[in-house]
């Protein structure tokens, strides 16, 4: 889960988060099946901010820097839930004038199994 430096641009669909309203809104507890790149799987249950960020990553890559502290949730998802998330580094962000910036990607497969109150 190391950062690599890229000189190319991040994917056009990478989500730039300026506020919580830019993210998925469901905060209910949900179960997910996590499969790493080696095929190892485990099941997790997350809610609130952790679910919001995980759902955003399932939808596509997410810029690291944001006013809603995406990185704090990514750290929790990585270390407490063993979700395979990587950060790729890029150069020259025209939107923010930053010389270097990162984008988070899932480095495996994550599938939502159920929401709270429903069956898998």
């Amino acid at each position: 889960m190391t950062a690599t430096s890229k000189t190319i641009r991040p994917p056009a669909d990478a989500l730039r988060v300026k506020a919580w309203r830019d993210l998925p809104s469901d905060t209910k507890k949900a179960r997910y099946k996590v499969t790493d790149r080696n095929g190892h799987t485990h099941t997790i249950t997350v809610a609130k901010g952790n679910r919001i960020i995980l759902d955003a990553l399932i939808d596509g890559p997410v810029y690291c820097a944001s006013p809603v502290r995406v990185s704090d949730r990514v750290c929790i998802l990585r270390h407490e839930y063993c979700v395979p998330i990587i950060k790729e580094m890029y150069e020259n962000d025209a939107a923010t004038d930053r010389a270097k910036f990162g984008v988070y990607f899932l480095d495996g497969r994550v599938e939502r199994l159920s929401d709270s109150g429903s069956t898998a």
Side-chain angles (χ1 to χ4, degrees):
M1 299 195 195
T2 59
T4 58
S5 186
K6 303 272 186 181
T7 55
I8 57 173
R9 306 302 313 153
D13 66 343
L15 178 62
R16 192 180 298 272
V17 180
K18 296 180 182 172
W20 283 104
R21 69 179 170 272
D22 299 328
L23 294 161
S25 60
D26 201 336
T27 61
K28 295 183 307 242
K29 198 179 286 190
R31 289 182 37 225
Y32 296 82
K33 177 181 175 184
V34 178
T35 307
D36 68 19
R37 67 166 55 183
N38 297 318
H40 300 106
T41 64
H42 65 283
T43 303
I44 62 172
T45 301
V46 295
K48 301 181 182 177
N50 294 328
R51 178 181 176 174
I52 289 170
I53 298 303
L54 185 55
D55 283 347
L57 284 164
I58 289 170
D59 290 344
V62 177
Y63 280 82
C64 296
S66 83
V68 300
R69 301 177 64 115
V70 168
S71 297
D72 290 353
R73 297 297 177 160
V74 166
C75 186
I76 291 168
L77 290 166
R78 278 180 177 160
H79 299 291
E80 293 182 23
Y81 296 97
C82 299
V83 176
I85 301 169
I86 60 168
K87 176 174 64 173
E88 293 188 357
M89 297 300 296
Y90 298 88
E91 297 176 357
N92 302 320
D93 185 8
T96 63
D97 290 329
R98 291 179 189 233
K100 291 187 176 190
F101 63 101
V103 175
Y104 290 120
F105 296 83
L106 286 176
D107 191 32
R109 181 172 171 80
V110 179
E111 304 170 74
R112 187 172 39 254
L113 299 174
S114 68
D115 291 330
S116 179
S118 63
T119 58

